[in-house]
Amino acid sequence: MNTMPKSKPLKTAAEAETTPRVSKLGQLTFLLRDPGGVSMPAMIAATGWQAHSVRGALAGALKRKGHKVLSEKVEGERRWRIVEGGGQ
């Protein structure tokens, strides 16, 4: 006997509007706005991406969006942050 799995109930228009979708690049941008910066493990955990994908987003997508990303070592740990005045 083949039975179709039950689908989730559809959201109403009001419910759909109240839950904005945040992209992984948006999550990354939010993390990078912290004045103390963010570490690679934190960016990997937030996005679910591998390290090379995070580095690609830092060097590519964010740069194309006009953000200037600064990398520096803080207490022996590499941290990245968006420099204000570097874009949007």
Side-chain angles (χ1 to χ4, degrees):
M1 177 171 156
N2 264 343
T3 59
M4 298 276 296
K6 293 183 180 181
S7 62
K8 295 179 184 176
L10 296 175
K11 290 184 178 181
T12 64
E15 290 173 328
E17 289 178 16
T18 59
T19 56
R21 184 169 178 254
V22 178
S23 68
K24 290 183 180 185
L25 193 58
Q27 292 172 349
L28 192 59
T29 304
F30 177 78
L31 289 174
L32 290 165
R33 291 194 186 281
D34 185 324
V38 63
S39 67
M40 182 62 69
M43 291 186 280
I44 290 170
T47 60
W49 291 342
Q50 293 183 2
H52 68 272
S53 298
V54 172
R55 286 190 297 271
L58 293 171
L62 291 173
K63 188 175 181 179
R64 280 192 299 275
K65 287 185 174 276
H67 297 292
K68 183 175 179 185
V69 179
L70 177 67
S71 168
E72 56 192 355
K73 269 200 170 178
V74 177
E75 297 178 10
E77 180 182 43
R78 176 76 47 198
R79 298 184 71 80
W80 290 261
R81 64 185 172 92
I82 289 178
V83 179
E84 292 302 320
Q88 299 174 343

